[in-house]
Amino acid sequence: MTDSANAARVGQLFEQAEQAGRAGRDAEFVACLNNVLKIAPEHPRALNMLGNRLLSSGDAAGARRMFERAVAQDRQAPPIWLNLAFAARAMGDSATELSALDQALAVDPYFVVALLEKAQWFERHGRKSDAVLAYRALIDAAPAFETLPQRIAAALQHGKALVDAEDGAIEAAIRRELAGRPITSSRFDHALEVLGGRRQIYHPKPAGLHFPYLPPVQYFDRAQFPWFEKLEAGADTIREELRGLLEGSDPNVPYVNIAPGTPENQWRELNRSLNWGAIFLWNGGAAVPAMLDRCPKTAKLLDELPLLDIAGRGPTVMFSTLKPHTRIPPHHGVTNIRAVVHLPLIVPPGCRFRVGSETREWREGEAWAFDDTIEHEAWNDSDDTRVIMIIDVWNPFLDEDERALLRTTNQVLSRLGEHLT
């Protein structure tokens, strides 16, 4: 037979073997593969398939011989190295098992099943620290648990529990060492929580301009907004004027209003819905006289506050209404050159707000500011509507010169039809 004829015949035999295997015709399956080996005595695919058949029938020694012959022909095949590891384990040869797993991972460091088997090998052999390291690498490399077969997902969950326990023990040991010494740095406290696996670090992801090197603060320090006291002192007055706006016809407009033909993504439930509504006092740098005229005391107070001032872009000031049992999904804001201030006005129990890794409950009349380019979301689990005032201000880490430069930048972007905020 010519080489091409041999190759064609080998292909036919593999096809017949696979059909026989699916139909449960074991003798025919083996015969086809043996015929392949008569043509190509060290064909790695045939050797591997025969090795799997022997392993499943309980002949680990025979399977091992097949797999060893196969990897001798194809050392770049991680699945064959994995099968050799299985055969070695069945024979009680733990050293060869680990060596074969290492060979598989040398070819493919992200081979999830081999990573899992290696982690389990360490765990079975009492090497807890190595097991934790292996599970940690595996969790980093593996796709989402819900996309994996149940057996692998369950093993990963077990590994994650080991990693979490180890991380928690490390954090606890450090805190014991520091016992009696007050931790006044929230950053250090959060660092320990990150080390213990109890806190995730979220990074700004602006949809628009990203001003580099600004601290990625979830909630800003109140001390950076000395005018909060003035704002909070006016909360009762603002709330009174808000209630006047809400009497009669509803002045709310949907906060989410995505143009037809544009992907809605996570906004499908809220698009063009008054479940999350807005009553704008300022919108994109333009005053809304129809609303400001009805809230004269609020308007006067806003005139006294250091709002974001970018022509045609900022500030935006609004009353944000969230109807009962409504959730605002996780999302990111446009630019980190601004800070977003919340002044809670009407907050029934069961309302929460998360920025990054920290969830808070609004308290009526107590303001806070946050970076909305860090992932955030909100819930109203109550039976009543929640209303807060939202105010755009400058990010407090920008100096006056940078703010002036950004105003000029906005003029250029506006001419080009681009957006800054």
Side-chain angles (χ1 to χ4, degrees), residues 4-130:
S4 59
N6 281 336
R9 178 58 180 157
V10 166
Q12 292 172 354
L13 288 168
F14 274 125
E15 185 176 346
Q16 292 172 17
E18 289 174 349
Q19 291 174 353
R22 287 193 293 269
R25 301 192 299 270
D26 190 60
E28 182 183 347
F29 173 81
V30 172
C32 288
L33 294 176
N34 282 328
N35 285 333
V36 170
L37 295 179
K38 289 177 183 178
I39 299 171
E42 298 301 311
H43 199 295
R45 180 181 174 190
L47 293 168
N48 185 55
M49 292 172 71
L50 285 169
N52 278 326
R53 185 258 179 191
L54 291 170
L55 189 60
S56 64
S57 67
D59 184 359
R64 176 174 176 167
R65 288 192 294 272
M66 291 291 181
F67 295 138
E68 287 175 338
R69 289 169 61 188
V71 293
Q73 298 302 312
D74 186 359
R75 301 189 67 81
Q76 299 300 308
I80 304 178
W81 284 112
L82 179 65
N83 289 336
L84 177 56
F86 289 149
R89 178 179 173 186
M91 296 178 66
D93 185 350
S94 60
T96 298
E97 177 189 2
L98 181 60
S99 176
L101 292 172
D102 285 337
Q103 291 284 357
L105 291 170
V107 178
D108 182 2
Y110 298 98
F111 189 8
V112 169
V113 179
L115 285 168
L116 173 59
E117 292 294 331
K118 185 171 181 178
Q120 292 177 331
W121 189 98
F122 285 133
E123 194 174 359
R124 287 196 306 272
H125 290 80
R127 293 169 56 174
K128 181 181 177 183
S129 295
D130 289 329

Side-chain angles (χ1 to χ4, degrees), residues 282-287 308 310-316:
W282 285 77
N283 193 359
L308 182 75
I310 298 180
R313 302 299 181 194
T316 290

Side-chain angles (χ1 to χ4, degrees), residues 203-218 220 225 308 310 332-340 370-376 392-399 402-403 406 419-421:
H203 300 283
K205 294 182 180 179
L209 176 67
H210 190 171
F211 199 101
Y213 315 130
L214 296 179
V217 177
Q218 295 178 164
F220 293 101
F225 302 87
L308 182 75
I310 298 180
H332 300 85
V334 176
T335 178
N336 62 338
I337 69 170
R338 68 183 179 191
V340 177
F370 68 99
D371 181 346
D372 78 331
T373 65
I374 295 174
E375 181 183 276
H376 57 288
D392 284 350
V393 300
W394 285 103
N395 186 311
F397 292 104
L398 291 170
D399 61 35
E402 289 170 327
R403 297 178 186 185
L406 284 165
H419 299 279
L420 183 64
T421 63

Side-chain angles (χ1 to χ4, degrees), residues 13 56 66 114 164 174 211-212 218-219 224 244 264 267-268 299-300 313 321 343 352 357 360 374 411 414:
L13 288 168
S56 64
M66 291 291 181
D164 290 345
I174 296 171
F211 199 101
Q218 295 178 164
Y219 293 91
Q224 294 173 298
E264 296 175 320
W267 300 114
R268 181 179 300 274
K300 184 176 185 301
R313 302 299 181 194
T321 62
L343 178 66
R352 294 173 295 145
S357 59
R360 295 183 177 183
I374 295 174
Q411 294 173 6
S414 295

Side-chain angles (χ1 to χ4, degrees), residues 289-320:
M291 295 300 151
L292 288 171
D293 290 348
R294 296 174 61 184
C295 305
K297 295 177 182 178
T298 300
K300 184 176 185 301
L301 175 59
L302 291 173
D303 286 341
E304 298 170 357
L305 300 182
L307 307 182
L308 182 75
D309 55 323
I310 298 180
R313 302 299 181 194
T316 290
V317 181
M318 68 180 181
F319 296 119
S320 170

Side-chain angles (χ1 to χ4, degrees), residues 142-166:
F145 288 6
E146 60 269 17
T147 66
L148 295 169
Q150 185 175 1
R151 180 188 75 84
I152 295 178
L156 278 174
Q157 290 288 4
H158 166 77
K160 185 176 185 305
L162 282 183
V163 171
D164 290 345
E166 180 75 5

